Amino acid sequence: MISLYGNTISWTTRKQTTVALSSTEAEYVSLSQSSCEAIWLKNLLSQFGIVKDIPLIIYEDNQSCICIAEEPRDQKRMKHLDIRYNFIRECIENGVISVKYIPTSEQVADVLTKSLSAGTFKRHRLALGVQESAEEIFREATIERGC
């Protein structure tokens, strides 16, 4: 999910084309792919004069993935990954991308990809700026009154 000035401007969910051997590897592949899309959008928006030349911040909830992306030396357990996924390392080294840790409970993008508890779902939906439907508001009001 890509946000600009607090508004979601792009999001996607798809099955990965490669088989990941761990959740860290799956997150690393996803981080690389989302970085490519974010850089493309930044270049597009900079042509309109909307974005400045500052590092893009990508929030990641997998600390192992962040360590692998930020560590310039080769990781023995990740050698089998295609070179294209190591693109993220170059982006970090060049200051194009900045990867920041965010706890899973605060990862708003999870609302688009995972089943969440009602409270977490509503909190993330509110953070996205998505409003409740009239039917949902009516249902909650009916439950509160005991009807």
Side-chain angles (χ1 to χ4, degrees):
M1 180 178 77
I2 299 174
S3 297
L4 179 68
Y5 301 119
N7 299 304
T8 301
I9 60 170
S10 174
W11 72 273
T12 185
T13 180
R14 67 179 86 106
K15 194 157 88 169
Q16 289 185 347
T17 56
T18 59
V19 177
L21 301 177
S22 67
S23 60
T24 298
E25 186 178 320
E27 291 278 350
Y28 188 71
V29 169
S30 179
L31 178 64
S32 181
Q33 291 173 339
S34 61
S35 297
C36 289
E37 183 177 353
I39 290 168
W40 181 84
L41 279 169
K42 179 182 177 182
N43 290 337
L44 176 68
L45 293 173
S46 67
Q47 291 178 3
F48 296 117
I50 296 175
V51 250
K52 297 178 180 172
D53 193 24
I54 57 173
L56 297 166
I57 299 172
I58 298 184
Y59 294 101
E60 174 62 54
D61 60 0
N62 187 308
Q63 292 185 23
S64 298
C65 175
I66 295 170
C67 289
I68 291 168
E70 291 178 341
E71 183 62 42
R73 65 182 175 86
D74 288 331
Q75 301 286 333
K76 291 178 184 175
R77 295 180 185 239
M78 303 296 276
K79 278 189 172 184
H80 64 281
L81 274 179
D82 197 347
I83 293 172
R84 66 183 164 177
Y85 298 123
N86 290 321
F87 167 74
I88 186 67
R89 288 184 184 166
E90 185 178 318
C91 291
I92 292 170
E93 288 174 11
N94 294 336
V96 176
I97 298 285
S98 176
V99 182
K100 305 282 184 200
Y101 173 73
I102 186 169
T104 302
S105 61
E106 296 175 29
Q107 183 67 284
V108 177
D110 283 353
V111 75
L112 304 170
T113 59
K114 297 178 181 175
S115 62
L116 303 170
S117 67
T120 304
F121 176 81
K122 288 179 182 180
R123 188 168 34 95
H124 289 342
R125 182 182 62 191
L126 182 64
L128 285 173
V130 177
Q131 303 212 357
E132 294 179 89
S133 66
E135 178 183 316
E136 198 172 9
I137 294 169
F138 176 75
R139 188 177 327 120
E140 287 180 8
T142 305
I143 292 170
E144 287 175 8
R145 282 192 243 142
C147 298

